[in-house]
Amino acid sequence: MATRARRTQRRNQVLSREHIIDTAIELLDAGGEGALTVRALTERLATGSGAVYYHVGTRDELLDTATETVITAALATKPAQASATPAEEIRAVALALFDAIADHQWLATRLTLQIIRNPVGPVTVGVFERIGRQMGALGVPQARWFDAASTLVHYILGAVSQNARIEGDTSGVEPAADREEFLGATSAAWQELNPEDYPFMHAIVGQITEHDDREQFLTGIAIVLDGLTRLR
């Protein structure tokens, strides 16, 4: 019994919380939430389930921690310029979140769940604080700070989620489907619409295959920011 206890102690000393979280993120990136099981994690780490529970708790707690780890790193992103404007600060964190979800397809669902389920958690508070602290500098009246920050956060979450594969999607679209092929098929389908009934769709049909997702995302940020400055 004493020998077993010493082995467990040595293993727990080597197996850090950070290593477990990093490995969990690797599994999530490779196969989504379905790939993250305690069995898969223990096999990858060559350890027992007790060590995992000891360091990170349940699977749901591990998912929350993995989400927090990725989002915290994204929120730490700073603009390239040392003396950045409030708009540049917001664009920097917005793009960091956009890129984080592009790199971690499972993250869109988990981030949304965190915002909804845990309003006092580090993810929700971190996102709102990083965005919201720029409201005063933008000239938004304090009485409108919550509405203004919420509008930006809702746009960012909605836009980045739209560009990610949502966990549980049953549309039949493969997560690795070729973007150009998908947009080309969509453009061709829109061209088949009756131009008298859908004049706008026909006017933009050539733009869908040429647009850049990140540039489109930044255009949306610019539109929201322009609207916020008018609250003054």
Side-chain angles (χ1 to χ4, degrees), residues 81-154:
Q81 303 84 0
S83 57
T85 65
E88 289 169 341
E89 290 277 358
I90 289 172
R91 281 195 292 270
V93 69
L95 270 181
L97 291 171
F98 183 95
D99 291 339
I101 290 181
D103 293 337
H104 308 280
Q105 293 289 296
W106 54 273
L107 188 59
T109 302
R110 298 308 307 184
L111 175 58
T112 301
L113 288 175
Q114 285 264 13
I115 297 291
I116 294 173
R117 294 177 179 175
N118 195 4
V120 297
V123 170
T124 305
V125 172
V127 171
F128 270 90
E129 178 63 28
R130 182 71 198 277
I131 296 294
R133 68 176 58 173
Q134 303 302 324
M135 296 301 100
L138 285 170
V140 177
Q142 187 169 351
R144 307 295 298 276
W145 281 4
F146 174 71
D147 290 341
S150 295
T151 298
L152 260 172
V153 171
H154 292 160

Side-chain angles (χ1 to χ4, degrees), residues 56-75:
V56 296
T58 65
R59 178 179 180 274
D60 284 341
E61 289 173 325
L62 178 55
L63 280 167
D64 287 343
T65 302
T67 303
E68 179 184 340
T69 299
V70 177
I71 294 301
T72 299
L75 292 176

Side-chain angles (χ1 to χ4, degrees), residues 7 28 39 45 56 61 72 92 132 141 174 209 211 217:
R7 288 175 180 172
L28 287 165
R39 180 176 181 178
L45 294 168
V56 296
E61 289 173 325
T72 299
E174 292 297 324
T209 56
H211 84 281
F217 177 66

